[in-house]
Amino acid sequence: MTASNVVDIGAALDAPQDVPELSRPNPRDRDEGPPERPMLPRDCPVKPLGVMAQTHFYLDSLGQLIALGPREHGKQHIEALFGVHSAMLREIWPRFSPKVDPETGEAKVTGWKADDAAEHLKRAAAWEGIFDPQGRVRGRGAHRGEAGELVLHCGDMVLIGGKRITGGPGETRWHHPGVIGPFVYPTAPGMPRPHPEAVDDEAAVILLKLLQQWRWARPDIDAYLMLGWIAAALIAGALDWRPHAWITGGSGTGKSTLHRLLKMLFGTGALATADATPAAIRQLLQQQTLPVFFDELEAEEDGRRSKAVIELARLASSGALTFRGGTDHKASEFTVRSSFLFSSILVPPMPQQDRNRLAMLELEKFETGAQPPALERMGLPDLGRRLRRRLLDQWWRWDATLHAYQAALSSYGHNGRSGDQFGTLLAAADLLLYDFQPEPDVVEEWASKLRADTLAEKVYERTDSDECADWLASTELKGRGGDERETVAKAMRLGLQLDTLEMAARRRERLRSFGIAIGNVTEAGGFRDYAGGAAFVAIANSHRGLDELFRDSRWVGGVWSQSFARAREARKRVKVKFDGRAIWATVVPIELFIGSEEAPE
């Protein structure tokens, strides 16, 4: 490149020229004018919705959502779209006999033109524009309307409740399934509808007294939380946070009877299973927001089945969007917005991020001679309809009720996630039992009963750094050169015993060979070998020995350094010598591994 070229380029950059705006040609603006909107008869039972890629979407004559590819518009597919109205095809796209009837002077209709029908249907769908089912199609269950209404899709009818306004509920309106506002509510098998008239709190009081007949480990709490879960599950799709519950108890505690109660209460408005994969649950739910009852999800040797289902419930809590690949190399989107109920004799192990999305409700055996209540003559299906109506009528105060309980729980030690979990359960029960905004003394009473420092679900809550430290502390060090096998925690305890200097020094040296150092933090923020006083542990951020100790865990590959960096009083990026090499480490109090009662002062 010559000097003159450089000067020319510089001048062009200093004084840039206007670039003409590029526009994409619109096929509707051709010389012959825009194409006419493809018109289907006003009473056409098939409604085109739009196109995504090469897939055309329709509501068929029954109101079901149908997706057809470009080659799936044959005669049989179109007849299926029109269903019992297929005779209209002869009227809309008639095929005439080449011969004219001598009496009438008209050609006889001998059938219908499948090619013409396919062309018009595809053009009509394309005219509607891009249609993405994700977020626009709403299946059976509860949803939230554009203005905050509670929408209950009952399969064969859609009920839109009053807006969430201060002072009371608005009107309710029934609609046939189809396009309602910006959303599509396809027709589906009917499920229980809300009671046709407004109801009081009687149904909720009856249900609460019935639930109290089981022997709960927390008699004054668990039955009420169970009532809250039932209420939240009925309107789960309209909530920002969907709480889950886990019922646990041995044989003879009435778990099966409780599941039978729920099935009678929810009817066809729930999915109940004892063995299903997450993929099967997604496919069964699709755009539905129905609750899922998972019976007998027992702890397993490897825990893969229960882990996968619990992960799905975790995603459902916030309605997170997930993607799954298909055999056709196309990704599918799923959003599960249902509340899950699990039950088992033993609760399988799970990470804290899953446990804190669950209300753990433990059942005890009935007293000698006592039996679970008889359910068949209690009118539970009608009770379920009355509960649905009660929630619909009280929906107008949902936000204020939820915020009141969340604020109260926060003052008793709950964080945002547990506030969402238990706040939603309490607020949902409140809608069933009360007519107006929650009384402050009621809110305060329940928040104090569920205070974080005494609540079982919170007492056993452990952070990721705690769990990481537990794994490391309980892992055995392999014997080397005649050393006995011992856990990391035991080696740490022995490494602190200065009254046996040689043994303690040998243990500390052994730990250093695995990337673990016991020592003291200097005034300058450095780290030296242990010489008494407050003890700390330096964990190398990268070390083959630690890779061996964390093998088969989620902290392998140096991930442990992220967890320990979040521990209380952690010091990040401290240079520590291991085997004569100074490498970066994270320093944490030794109490994280052996407990405060064993750590030196």
Side-chain angles (χ1 to χ4, degrees):
M1 181 180 290
T2 65
S4 60
N5 294 139
V6 175
V7 172
D8 292 341
I9 294 173
L13 292 174
D14 291 338
Q17 301 297 313
D18 292 334
V19 178
E21 183 178 353
L22 298 178
S23 61
R24 179 179 298 174
N26 188 340
R28 297 182 182 178
D29 296 333
R30 294 177 297 183
D31 294 340
E32 61 268 26
E36 293 184 4
R37 180 186 181 96
M39 297 298 293
L40 297 177
R42 186 181 297 274
D43 59 348
C44 181
V46 176
K47 179 173 179 55
L49 297 175
V51 181
M52 172 64 79
Q54 292 190 350
T55 302
H56 298 69
F57 293 91
Y58 308 91
L59 288 179
D60 71 3
S61 61
L62 294 175
Q64 302 176 104
L65 180 67
I66 304 296
L68 296 179
R71 297 184 179 181
E72 296 176 321
H73 286 72
K75 186 173 182 179
Q76 292 184 348
H77 284 100
I78 296 174
E79 284 180 336
L81 280 177
F82 279 76
V84 297
H85 302 282
S86 59
M88 292 184 65
L89 291 166
R90 297 166 62 94
E91 302 174 13
I92 305 173
W93 298 287
R95 185 180 66 239
F96 295 98
S97 169
K99 297 181 180 180
V100 176
D101 189 327
E103 296 182 3
T104 63
E106 298 180 353
K108 184 179 180 180
V109 175
T110 59
W112 57 281
K113 298 179 179 179
D115 289 344
D116 286 358
E119 179 185 350
H120 279 79
L121 287 171
K122 287 191 285 187
R123 285 181 59 200
W127 186 275
E128 297 294 333
I130 300 297
F131 179 80
D132 186 358
Q134 181 64 41
R136 285 198 61 191
V137 177
R138 292 181 160 187
R140 296 187 304 168
H143 306 275
R144 191 177 303 210
E146 281 189 289
E149 308 98 327
L150 179 62
V151 181
L152 299 180
H153 187 351
C154 301
D156 52 352
M157 291 294 288
V158 178
L159 180 61
I160 299 181
K163 296 180 181 179
R164 291 176 295 153
I165 55 176
T166 302
E171 63 175 335
T172 58
R173 304 178 304 280
W174 283 103
H175 297 260
H176 289 287
V179 179
I180 304 175
F183 302 107
V184 178
Y185 297 85
T187 304
M191 55 175 270
R193 302 180 185 178
H195 194 276
E197 299 178 356
V199 298
D200 56 18
D201 63 353
E202 181 185 18
V205 172
I206 292 173
L207 180 57
L208 181 58
K209 289 181 178 179
L210 178 58
L211 293 171
Q212 288 171 340
Q213 294 186 41
W214 273 262
R215 290 195 66 199
W216 301 97
R218 301 174 294 189
D220 59 335
I221 292 178
D222 290 346
Y224 195 87
L225 292 180
M226 188 71 229
L227 176 70
W229 183 86
I230 292 171
L234 287 169
I235 57 174
L239 305 179
D240 293 326
W241 180 269
R242 280 153 288 280
H244 311 304
W246 198 301
I247 300 172
T248 180
S251 178
T253 57
K255 296 192 304 297
S256 297
T257 304
L258 187 56
H259 265 270
R260 191 152 50 89
L261 180 153
L262 294 172
K263 292 175 184 177
M264 297 171 69
L265 197 66
F266 284 83
T268 55
L271 299 181
T273 180
D275 185 14
T277 64
I281 295 174
R282 288 191 191 94
Q283 291 166 7
L284 287 171
L285 284 174
Q286 294 185 7
Q287 295 91 6
Q288 300 182 106
T289 64
L290 306 180
V292 180
F293 309 149
F294 224 105
D295 195 9
E296 303 299 335
L297 191 65
E298 297 293 344
E300 308 162 294
E301 184 175 353
D302 59 7
R304 283 181 294 180
R305 183 174 71 100
S306 59
K307 180 182 177 182
V309 176
I310 294 168
E311 286 178 352
L312 180 62
R314 182 211 311 160
L315 295 172
S317 293
S318 58
L321 184 65
T322 60
F323 299 89
R324 291 293 183 274
T327 56
D328 57 355
H329 304 289
K330 294 182 180 179
S332 299
E333 298 179 4
F334 296 94
T335 302
V336 180
R337 295 186 294 124
S338 300
S339 282
F340 284 65
L341 178 75
F342 303 100
S343 70
S344 62
I345 296 175
L346 300 175
V347 178
M350 66 186 78
Q352 190 58 43
Q353 61 183 355
D354 293 331
R355 183 175 287 271
N356 61 18
R357 286 170 168 81
L358 293 163
M360 292 293 181
L361 311 178
E362 185 174 355
L363 289 171
E364 298 177 351
K365 283 190 176 182
F366 286 96
E367 295 180 354
T368 304
Q371 296 291 331
L375 305 176
E376 282 68 20
R377 298 183 180 180
M378 300 196 67
L380 289 173
D382 182 65
L383 199 68
R385 297 183 66 203
R386 291 158 65 189
L387 294 177
R388 286 181 169 89
R389 179 64 194 224
R390 179 70 173 174
L391 292 167
L392 184 74
D393 290 342
Q394 292 294 314
W395 176 250
W396 62 272
R397 64 183 182 91
W398 170 255
D399 278 350
T401 302
L402 175 61
H403 294 160
Y405 281 103
Q406 287 175 325
L409 289 168
S410 177
S411 66
Y412 281 92
H414 284 266
N415 56 26
R417 183 163 294 170
S418 63
D420 288 338
Q421 170 75 8
F422 292 100
T424 300
L425 292 171
L426 294 175
D430 192 288
L431 293 195
L432 291 179
L433 292 169
Y434 301 99
D435 293 319
F436 301 102
Q437 300 290 5
E439 295 290 339
D441 57 339
V442 174
V443 175
E444 181 71 15
E445 178 185 0
W446 276 107
S448 64
K449 284 183 179 181
L450 300 179
R451 59 185 304 146
D453 58 356
T454 60
L455 193 63
E457 289 88 342
K458 296 289 288 181
V459 166
Y460 299 106
E461 182 176 295
R462 297 183 61 74
T463 64
D464 178 64
S465 56
D466 291 331
E467 294 178 348
C468 183
D470 287 347
W471 177 284
L472 183 58
S474 60
T475 303
E476 281 192 340
L477 300 171
K478 291 184 178 180
R480 296 178 180 177
D483 289 334
E484 297 180 359
R485 295 177 67 92
E486 59 188 6
T487 64
V488 170
K490 182 178 180 180
M492 286 182 177
R493 295 189 196 98
L494 295 175
L496 296 173
Q497 296 178 5
L498 297 182
D499 53 337
T500 55
L501 291 178
E502 184 178 348
M503 180 187 68
R506 189 166 63 245
R507 289 304 191 285
R508 294 197 299 274
E509 189 63 28
R510 184 182 187 188
L511 287 170
R512 280 182 183 269
S513 68
F514 284 92
I516 306 168
I518 300 176
N520 303 110
V521 175
T522 65
E523 293 183 2
F527 190 84
R528 58 177 173 79
D529 190 37
Y530 184 63
F536 289 82
V537 178
I539 308 293
N541 291 348
S542 177
H543 199 282
R544 290 184 63 181
L546 285 167
D547 265 326
E548 180 182 332
L549 298 178
F550 280 109
R551 187 178 55 202
D552 300 327
S553 79
R554 67 177 185 267
W555 300 285
V556 72
V559 176
W560 64 77
S561 63
Q562 301 175 41
S563 296
F564 286 126
R566 301 188 186 105
R568 181 178 56 86
E569 298 182 25
R571 293 169 171 83
K572 308 174 187 178
R573 292 182 60 81
V574 178
K575 280 282 184 142
V576 179
K577 282 191 175 183
F578 294 93
D579 296 327
R581 296 183 304 114
I583 60 177
W584 292 112
T586 302
V587 177
V588 295
I590 200 169
E591 290 87 348
L592 193 63
F593 301 93
I594 64 174
S596 57
E597 69 280 359
E598 301 178 64
E601 295 293 336

